[in-house]
Amino acid sequence: MWRHSIKPRPRWRDKVVEQGLVFPMTDLPDGTERPYWNESAWYEVTMDEVLHLERVTEELYAMCRHAASVMASGDRFTDEQLGLASGTLPLVRESLKRDDLSVYARFDLAWSGAEPKMLEINGDTPTGLLESAVIQWNWLEDVFPDADQWNSVHDRLVKWWSERLAEGRFPGNEAHFFNSAAETTGEEAMTVAYLRDTAAMAGLATYGHELEDLGWESAQRAFVDWGGRRIRTAFKLYPWEDMLDDEFGRYVLAGVEREPVQWIEPIWKTMLSTKAILPVLWELYPNHPNLLPAYFGDPGDLLEWVAKPLHGREGSNIVIHTVADPEDHVHEGPYDTSTMVYQEWHPLPSYEGNRAVIGSWIVDGVAAGMMVRESDGPITDYYARFVPHAIGTSPRPDADTIQTWLNE
């Protein structure tokens, strides 16, 4: 992979906003701002590299599904150890047993050109979706109209809704979409609106709400929206670990719904959004070339490590310990640090001082594309920048070839 400087498109900021990106700039602590969408550079990858990343992504996802089953079964963990509300793990087991519908997830990979290393997976509330599926594709159309990009995210999302709709998996052929009003950057609302668009394109009737509008109708023993409409299928971009601690979470935990809501992502995805999956993967697949050694609760035999809270996001509350530095690098944040997962320190590759992490998307179990985020420091945090990519050596395939890939 190579990083190239390039002149941004005229009116790039207006363009990406018109295409749905609500925060083209990031506000910095000193009151200034800088681009979140950074098209002053682009990353070039080869088709062989893409094929390798695809294989790794799909293998890791299969391993994560196996790890989720192990985590939820037997005596491996308790709810308390995982920082989950009491009664969560039995629901996870039932969800896995039913093979509840699941649409997408994102791996974060450190990749220096050899074997990618899995840093983590967000299987419950991954963001960066609109930027990956739409904004960087439109950038490619403008800048390199004959080139290709590893990006079938949008097509695969529409395909997933369409196929499940044809199978009759959505009662009433409808779905509700929820984001939390407490998230004020617009990221959740933007991501949920995009997913709602993909469902509508597939033919579903859709309803968009803030999670705070969710209601409980005692007589029906059902969740309802603000208009009193019963909720049967719902996509939410809200972590399960928070949802089950909320007022209405007790109805889910108690199993009092007459006909439970079909939540997307399903509750078994809690196992794919906790860092506790990292040591479980290392136990199940020791010395796997795409995993890093990881331990639950202490660093074990690691000399250099990264400590991560179970439910942290945006790099918050991460601690980096290296031999060369006499002081640990501590990234403050709001998450519970009473239990930490320790993963071997694997620095991100630096491109002229830009530390790049690969976000590798999977939709319906199939590798679907990638995004690149850059940071100035060793942690990919809130201030990370999204940089587009292109496959530099391959022309864009024709429509028939693309359809063949989607049907595989």
Side-chain angles (χ1 to χ4, degrees):
M1 187 167 76
W2 300 266
R3 185 182 193 274
H4 303 286
S5 296
I6 190 172
K7 186 177 180 180
R9 293 169 294 174
R11 296 184 57 253
W12 68 267
R13 182 169 173 170
D14 293 336
K15 287 177 185 286
V16 299
V17 170
E18 290 165 3
Q19 292 160 9
L21 184 63
V22 299
F23 45 86
M25 309 294 286
T26 299
D27 295 328
L28 301 178
D30 63 3
T32 63
E33 62 178 14
R34 71 177 178 189
Y36 161 72
W37 170 260
N38 176 23
E39 61 173 70
S40 67
W42 65 283
Y43 281 88
E44 178 185 357
V45 292
T46 69
M47 181 55 79
D48 285 344
E49 290 173 330
V50 168
L51 294 174
H52 187 62
L53 288 167
E54 284 183 338
R55 182 191 62 75
V56 168
T57 298
E58 292 178 6
E59 182 178 354
L60 286 174
Y61 191 68
M63 291 159 57
C64 286
R65 286 193 63 117
H66 177 211
S69 299
V70 172
M71 294 168 71
S73 62
D75 300 324
R76 185 63 181 85
F77 289 111
T78 65
D79 291 319
E80 183 179 10
Q81 285 174 313
L82 293 177
L84 300 171
S86 178
T88 300
L89 284 175
L91 295 182
V92 169
R93 285 193 285 274
E94 289 300 314
S95 178
L96 284 165
K97 187 177 178 181
R98 291 191 301 266
D99 194 20
D100 285 346
L101 290 183
S102 168
V103 56
Y104 77 136
R106 193 197 73 225
F107 288 95
D108 283 349
L109 306 173
W111 185 45
S112 301
E115 284 295 344
K117 299 294 184 183
M118 175 181 164
L119 301 177
E120 60 187 51
I121 178 174
N122 189 332
D124 187 16
T125 60
T127 54
L129 189 65
L130 177 76
E131 304 92 300
S132 298
V134 176
I135 308 298
Q136 71 169 346
W137 179 260
N138 288 334
W139 167 87
L140 186 79
E141 294 271 43
D142 284 348
V143 179
F144 299 118
D146 297 324
D148 198 10
Q149 186 178 78
W150 181 24
N151 189 357
S152 61
V153 176
H154 178 81
D155 290 337
R156 292 192 184 281
L157 287 172
V158 176
K159 178 173 180 276
W160 184 85
W161 290 110
S162 299
E163 291 179 346
R164 303 296 90 76
L165 179 62
E167 293 167 359
R169 302 295 295 271
F170 304 120
N173 297 334
E174 64 182 27
H176 285 73
F177 290 79
F178 290 97
N179 63 277
S180 173
E183 201 284 321
T184 57
T185 69
E187 183 177 45
E188 286 188 12
M190 176 186 76
T191 305
V192 171
Y194 171 60
L195 272 159
R196 182 183 175 189
D197 283 348
T198 63
M201 292 176 71
L204 273 80
T206 64
Y207 307 92
H209 301 278
E210 293 179 342
L211 199 66
E212 288 76 6
D213 291 332
L214 189 67
W216 175 256
E217 218 295 324
S218 298
Q220 298 185 54
R221 301 206 323 264
F223 288 106
V224 294
D225 65 19
W226 62 267
R229 189 182 189 87
R230 188 179 148 207
I231 298 166
R232 294 183 283 189
T233 296
F235 175 89
K236 52 83 190 168
L237 200 70
Y238 189 65
W240 270 108
E241 67 268 17
D242 294 338
M243 188 165 155
L244 293 176
D245 278 337
D246 286 352
E247 178 185 357
F248 292 125
R250 67 176 184 269
Y251 296 119
V252 176
L253 288 166
V256 297
E257 294 169 88
R258 182 169 290 160
E259 294 180 34
V261 173
Q262 175 174 243
W263 291 102
I264 301 169
E265 295 296 323
I267 195 169
W268 74 261
K269 282 295 197 75
T270 54
M271 301 295 100
L272 269 59
S273 63
T274 168
K275 307 303 185 293
I277 196 172
L278 299 174
V280 176
L281 284 168
W282 186 246
E283 287 178 18
L284 295 172
Y285 305 97
N287 300 314
H288 189 283
N290 304 118
L291 297 178
L292 293 166
Y295 303 98
F296 188 85
D298 65 68
D301 59 357
L302 299 176
L303 297 179
E304 297 187 311
W305 43 259
V306 181
K308 303 179 177 182
L310 291 178
H311 301 297
R313 287 174 171 81
E314 302 279 13
S316 295
N317 296 101
I318 278 180
V319 179
I320 298 176
H321 174 83
T322 61
V323 173
D325 195 335
E327 293 189 9
D328 290 348
H329 181 98
V330 180
H331 198 67
E332 301 293 344
Y335 295 102
D336 181 3
T337 58
S338 57
T339 301
M340 302 289 272
V341 164
Y342 293 79
Q343 186 183 49
E344 185 177 71
W345 167 234
H346 188 86
L348 297 172
S350 177
Y351 297 83
E352 301 172 343
N354 299 287
R355 316 285 182 92
V357 66
I358 302 291
S360 181
W361 293 98
I362 193 150
V363 178
D364 196 20
V366 178
M370 79 173 200
M371 66 182 198
V372 182
R373 283 174 297 161
E374 293 181 336
S375 297
D376 296 330
I379 296 173
T380 306
D381 60 12
Y382 171 78
Y383 301 105
R385 304 170 292 279
F386 192 110
V387 184
H389 79 276
I391 303 174
T393 56
S394 298
R396 186 175 302 183
D398 59 33
D400 289 342
T401 301
I402 293 172
Q403 192 59 50
T404 299
W405 289 344
L406 291 173
N407 293 336
E408 288 177 348

